[in-house]
């Protein structure tokens, strides 16, 4: 699977569930524990809450992936920005996953591909303008049959998407296709 940033500086929030058992999902917590790192890089396997590998990163043009920050939601826009009715990743996921019987409360924390959330020496982390350029991509090898959802993060009130959300392209590749 390819996730392509068409215009640059766009975050791709990513969640997944095991196709055969929806009580198993892609877990940032379990991946961090397995990697013993606060970010994911090429060669890393992304794990489920049952500690099974679900995906492997096989190409990453940007090299910035956040596995700490929660997705944007209605409450964040209301509490942090005083805005009602703003589009959010949580809303995008809830709408996209509803046909598979996955409720909003079941959606796990996302992998935030292309998100520039540097970890500072004092162990705080930031939220800065993404460094990704137009056409850069992340390629994942699927290791488990999965239900996947990707949200082009609509956050435009902080630097998360360079204050200008833009589209992503998602492509499903055949296993024999070269990802380069």
């Amino acid at each position: 699977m390819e996730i392509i940033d068409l215009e640059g500086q766009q975050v791709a929030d990513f969640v997944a569930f095991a196709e055969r058992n929806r009580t198993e999902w892609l877990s940032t917590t379990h991946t961090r524990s397995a990697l013993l790192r606060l970010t994911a890089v090429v060669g890393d396997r992304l794990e489920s809450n049952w500690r099974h590998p679900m995906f492997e990163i096989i190409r990453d043009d940007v090299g910035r992936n956040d596995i700490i920050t929660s997705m944007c939601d209605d409450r964040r826009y209301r509490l942090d920005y005083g805005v009602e009715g703003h589009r959010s990743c949580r809303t995008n996921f809830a709408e996209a996953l509803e046909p598979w019987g996955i409720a909003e409360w079941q959606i796990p924390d996302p992998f935030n591909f292309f998100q520039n959330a540097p970890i500072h020496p004092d162990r705080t982390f930031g939220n800065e303008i993404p460094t990704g350029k137009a056409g850069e991509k992340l390629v994942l090898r699927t290791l488990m049959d999965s239900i996947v959802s990707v949200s082009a993060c609509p956050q435009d009130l902080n630097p998360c998407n360079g204050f200008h959300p833009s589209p992503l392209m998602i492509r499903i590749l055949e296993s024999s296709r070269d990802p380069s």
Side-chain angles (χ1 to χ4, degrees), residues 8 75 159:
R75 291 164 293 285

Side-chain angles (χ1 to χ4, degrees), residues 17 52 111 157 172:
F17 293 82
H52 297 135
F111 281 73
L157 302 174
I172 307 302

